[in-house]
Amino acid sequence: MPRATADRTSAPPRPSGTPTTKSLPQHARTHNRSLVLQTLFRRGSMSRADLARESGLTRPTVSGIVQELTADGIVVDLGLREDARVGKPATLVGVRADAFHILALDLSSAERFVGAVVDLRGTVVRRTTVDIDGASGEAAVALAERLVDELAASTRQPLLGVGVGTPGIVDHDGVVRTAVHLGWYDLPLAARLSAHAGVPVHVGNDANLAALAVHTYDDARRDDGRRDEPRSLMVVTIENGVGVGLVLGGALVEGDQFSAGEIGHVTVDEDGDVCACGRRGCLEVSLAAPGLHARLLDHDAGSRGAVLHEAGRALGIVLAPVVSVLALDEVVLSGPRDLLDGALLRAAAETVRARTLSAVSTGLTMRYAGDDRDLAALGAASLVLSAELGIS
Ligand SMILES: [Zn+2]
């Protein structure tokens, strides 16, 4: 398998805005390189002069870094700018989207592991899946390895690394501390897959990565002039369990013990059914996809809307105080479309509106993740971009 030039092993993912502790010359150089790449990634192609202005670096520094990045094949000369102002026309430089490919794995679905080959711009160039079929523990690790092998065999570009979004609690070393439904406890998933594939592997919680994806790729594509404003958004993933990824003021919030956003076991019905955690009436009991699908089957077509409405209302009750405290701009629901995109989403939004001040709900957009079923995979890819190239 071709190896990327950046060959650090599983470096911890850094939420944007993390302060660096020292500023040695080599750190400054790495920082400047990231800054140049980040500017090109977010703002698109531009001349070296504009790049210096946008990044706040000097012209000679920018030229040196662009030369280095061009030699690495990450940045490419795009020729002369057509609408040149007075004077000598400037040469544009931009990120070469297929300089590297990233393998991205989304392990969040209850039925299948989804894998994708993603380019540096976040375009999915190939997608493949393997059915889980009840596999857990080592058998589930073997499935993830098989998915990596299939994806790696399908691209000839050099690999920047592998990114993995998994349900459960994941630490910065890529150790899955707990993923109940996959039977993983203290599993060093990043180290295992990295030894298997021979490239750096970065692992994160699926909901966190989905939030990172909305932040990274939506932002880079955002064209309303507000892309530099820090956003506060929450992605709620509804699959086997209920997960939350949180980006506040542009930075991913993971919390102590990496367990921020555990809303699945907040009680919504004291007389409700017993939950996997041993208590009664958790949000997860009302909302997790397998249970909800089973309840829909028990109802006729006329009353299914009411089942979905009730689940959405439970979600809204839990979300209302969170949205109020954090002043979120956006809540995105990710999971099976047949469950989420309709009565459930409407009931959740109505409930949040009814239970918060209008000043809170007016600034809030609640939506379904849409056709972007690659959200966690794209987040996994942006984890690799951030760790390997410093683009966040
Ligand atoms: Zn519970």
Side-chain angles (χ1 to χ4, degrees):
M1 187 182 298
R3 205 180 156 77
T5 50
D7 64 352
R8 277 165 294 144
T9 49
S10 210
R14 298 229 179 275
S16 51
T18 305
T20 48
T21 46
K22 280 184 180 175
S23 191
L24 298 170
Q26 66 267 34
H27 289 159
R29 183 143 193 88
T30 311
H31 173 77
N32 291 347
R33 192 180 145 107
S34 300
L35 193 58
V36 166
L37 265 180
Q38 176 130 323
T39 307
L40 286 175
F41 188 82
R42 287 229 180 260
R43 299 299 188 97
S45 310
M46 60 180 82
S47 69
R48 288 170 178 78
D50 288 341
L51 201 45
R53 200 171 306 120
E54 293 281 342
S55 65
L57 299 170
T58 65
R59 281 289 297 273
T61 302
V62 164
S63 291
I65 292 170
V66 166
Q67 193 175 8
E68 200 180 290
L69 289 169
T70 310
D72 289 347
I74 301 174
V75 161
V76 68
D77 259 330
L78 296 166
L80 296 180
R81 178 164 53 194
E82 283 176 8
D83 62 341
R85 288 160 294 211
V86 216
K88 200 176 139 203
T91 307
L92 296 184
V93 291
V95 172
R96 193 158 70 86
D98 61 354
F100 290 103
H101 278 167
I102 297 169
L103 309 185
L105 269 55
D106 171 8
L107 313 184
S108 60
S109 155
E111 283 121 41
R112 64 193 69 85
F113 288 169
V114 180
V117 177
V118 181
D119 73 13
L120 294 183
R121 285 240 150 248
T123 303
V124 173
V125 293
R126 197 160 293 103
R127 187 182 289 114
T128 183
T129 63
V130 291
D131 287 336
I132 301 172
D133 221 5
S136 68
E138 277 303 308
V141 176
L143 282 183
E145 289 175 345
R146 199 178 103 200
L147 197 52
V148 168
D149 291 342
E150 286 182 20
L151 292 168
S154 74
T155 171
R156 303 184 63 151
Q157 297 307 113
L159 294 180
L160 191 63
V162 178
V164 184
T166 173
I169 296 173
V170 186
D171 71 17
H172 279 171
D173 296 321
V175 175
V176 181
R177 292 189 178 171
T178 321
V180 180
H181 298 286
L182 289 169
W184 288 348
Y185 302 94
D186 295 321
L187 173 76
L189 187 62
R192 290 278 305 272
L193 290 179
S194 184
H196 180 81
V199 291
V201 177
H202 305 276
V203 180
N205 168 271
D206 54 354
N208 283 343
L209 294 186
L212 208 54
V214 173
H215 176 61
T216 308
Y217 295 107
D218 277 11
D219 244 26
R221 288 165 186 161
R222 211 166 158 187
D223 207 22
D224 58 4
R226 292 176 57 208
R227 61 182 166 188
D228 286 335
E229 289 177 22
R231 297 160 87 188
S232 293
L233 65 94
M234 177 192 267
V235 174
V236 184
T237 58
I238 297 157
E239 296 282 358
N240 259 326
V242 178
V244 160
L246 199 55
V247 169
L248 290 185
L252 184 67
V253 177
E254 294 178 291
D256 273 357
Q257 302 303 314
F258 310 99
S259 57
E262 280 296 319
I263 62 167
H265 300 281
V266 172
T267 309
V268 289
D269 178 6
E270 280 154 6
D271 304 319
D273 292 340
V274 177
C275 174
C277 74
R279 295 172 312 134
R280 272 184 188 283
C282 293
L283 177 63
E284 200 161 294
V285 172
S286 308
L287 204 57
L292 198 46
H293 271 134
R295 285 208 299 289
L296 289 178
L297 286 177
D298 286 343
H299 286 75
D300 57 38
S303 55
R304 282 183 195 143
V307 172
L308 292 171
H309 181 94
E310 207 34 55
R313 188 171 167 275
L315 175 61
I317 289 172
V318 175
L319 287 181
V322 180
V323 165
S324 296
V325 168
L326 300 177
L328 297 177
D329 304 314
E330 199 172 10
V331 173
V332 181
L333 304 190
S334 168
R337 176 186 284 276
D338 60 320
L339 297 180
L340 304 182
D341 192 16
L344 192 153
L345 174 62
R346 281 195 301 276
E350 267 166 31
T351 307
V352 169
R353 243 194 330 272
R355 289 173 171 245
T356 56
L357 284 175
S358 64
V360 171
S361 57
T362 343
L364 174 74
T365 308
M366 281 184 72
R367 64 177 173 94
Y368 178 63
D371 291 321
D372 215 350
R373 59 200 166 115
D374 298 313
L375 218 47
L378 286 178
S382 69
L383 192 61
V384 176
L385 271 182
S386 150
E388 299 300 321
L389 296 179
I391 297 171
S392 57

